[in-house]
């Protein structure tokens, strides 16, 4: 059911986040520790989106192959520095296509998005939610997958001017209501903030001086990692981290 990671902070080589740590995203692609019966490996593609120092638009790299097979990305990641990153290794839900465009992160403007989990009863369970989107958005989904639809729902709210944390919380809660027992760890980021949810799947956060990392699993043994309680939302900048419970009864802002 995928693994993902978000980072904000001083410029670091991509490899120092995604490849070099002892339990990096690369390691989690073939030896994850906490999938919670959601598969055994994450070999159905991967992707990374990052902001180079001083840039306001991200660069994105996506492939439909196991992360450990892509030697070109390993070379790129060693030579590339970033101040903000959203990356993911994919474990495709049975029946969903394994194609490059199905790999997170999904993107528009400065936003990068990833989904770790599964929407139960797909696609019937969320068909009414999909009907709220403009037809053009449905016709141009990155892929016919639950993650791509979740991104379209979040993006629609962002386009309407909704605050990022409100957009993520609203979509997650309405999908959870429409498709009970779904696993809905969402991750949204740009060059200034990260928003993430923990809903029936693992999530950790590591705050630090002028930096923050959010990940499905800790990438190293740093004692600063904190487990995010289930059914919580994380809102983080480079200097602050806020974790609060998700409230299914919360009214739309």
């Amino acid at each position: 059911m995928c693994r993902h990671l978000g980072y904000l902070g001083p410029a670091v080589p991509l490899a120092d986040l995604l490849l070099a740590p002892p339990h990096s995203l690369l390691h989690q692609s073939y030896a994850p520790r906490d999938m919670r019966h959601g598969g055994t490996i994450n070999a159905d593609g991967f992707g990374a989106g990052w902001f180079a120092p001083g840039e306001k638009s991200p660069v994105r790299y996506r492939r439909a192959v196991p992360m450990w097979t892509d030697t070109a990305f390993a070379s790129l990641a060693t030579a590339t520095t970033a101040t903000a990153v959203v990356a993911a290794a994919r474990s495709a839900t049975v029946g969903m296509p394994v194609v490059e465009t199905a790999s997170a992160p999904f993107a528009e403007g400065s936003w990068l998005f990833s989904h770790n989990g599964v929407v139960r009863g797909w696609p019937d369970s969320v068909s009414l939610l999909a009907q709220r989107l403009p037809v053009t958005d449905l016709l141009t989904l990155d892929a016919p997958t639950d993650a791509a639809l979740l991104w379209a729902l979040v993006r629609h709210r962002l386009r309407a001017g909704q605050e990022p944390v409100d957009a993520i919380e609203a979509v997650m809660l309405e999908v959870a209501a429409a498709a009970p027992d779904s696993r809905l760890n969402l991750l949204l980021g740009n060059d200034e903030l990260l928003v993430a949810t923990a809903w029936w799947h693992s999530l950790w956060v590591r705050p630090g001086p002028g930096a923050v990392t959010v990940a499905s699993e800790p990438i190293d043994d740093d004692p600063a990692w904190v487990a995010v309680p289930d059914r919580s939302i994380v809102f983080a900048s480079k200097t602050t981290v806020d974790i609060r419970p998700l409230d299914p009864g919360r009214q739309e802002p």
Side-chain angles (χ1 to χ4, degrees):
M1 288 192 181
C2 310
R3 305 282 81 180
H4 58 205
L5 175 146
Y7 169 80
L8 292 172
V12 295
L14 281 179
D16 288 2
L17 288 172
L18 307 181
L19 307 180
H23 194 52
S24 64
L25 191 66
L26 171 63
H27 191 261
Q28 292 176 40
S29 70
Y30 60 83
R33 294 173 180 164
D34 190 9
M35 293 287 279
R36 305 193 182 184
H37 306 291
T40 56
I41 61 173
N42 300 284
D44 297 318
F46 74 99
W50 65 89
F51 291 81
E55 295 296 325
K56 290 295 184 180
S57 297
V59 178
R60 188 168 53 146
Y61 185 103
R62 297 192 293 176
R63 295 292 309 280
V65 299
M67 192 173 185
W68 65 84
T69 69
D70 193 334
T71 57
F73 180 72
S75 298
L76 175 68
T78 301
T80 301
T81 59
T83 56
V85 178
V86 171
R90 185 176 182 231
S91 175
T93 301
V94 174
M96 294 192 186
V98 179
V99 293
E100 183 176 295
T101 54
S103 295
F106 303 97
E108 180 174 276
S110 67
W111 294 112
L112 298 165
F113 175 84
S114 175
H115 167 225
N116 165 25
V118 61
V119 173
R120 302 295 185 191
W122 168 269
D124 295 343
S125 60
V126 287
S127 61
L128 292 179
L129 296 178
Q131 290 177 25
R132 301 179 186 175
L133 294 173
V135 173
T136 301
D137 286 6
L138 295 174
L139 292 175
T140 57
L141 288 177
D142 283 46
T145 65
D146 52 0
L149 178 65
L150 290 171
W151 166 232
L153 292 168
V154 171
R155 182 183 61 190
H156 186 60
R157 288 175 176 272
L158 293 173
R159 287 173 174 173
Q162 196 162 29
E163 290 297 316
V165 67
D166 293 329
I168 286 289
E169 183 169 16
V171 168
M172 204 235 71
L173 291 175
E174 67 185 8
V175 173
D181 299 323
S182 294
R183 297 188 180 196
L184 298 167
N185 279 32
L186 311 185
L187 174 61
L188 177 71
N190 62 11
D191 60 320
E192 296 181 346
L193 61 87
L194 293 169
V195 182
T197 59
W199 191 271
W200 293 108
H201 230 316
S202 62
L203 187 69
W204 294 73
V205 62
R206 179 178 62 184
V212 62
T213 308
V214 177
S216 299
E217 301 178 16
I219 60 175
D220 54 30
D221 295 326
D222 189 335
W225 285 103
V226 177
V228 177
D230 190 43
R231 302 195 173 208
S232 295
I233 189 165
V234 179
F235 180 76
S237 69
K238 294 178 182 179
T239 57
T240 61
V241 176
D242 178 43
I243 303 174
R244 63 171 172 80
L246 284 158
D247 180 7
R250 182 170 180 262
Q251 297 296 311
E252 286 264 9

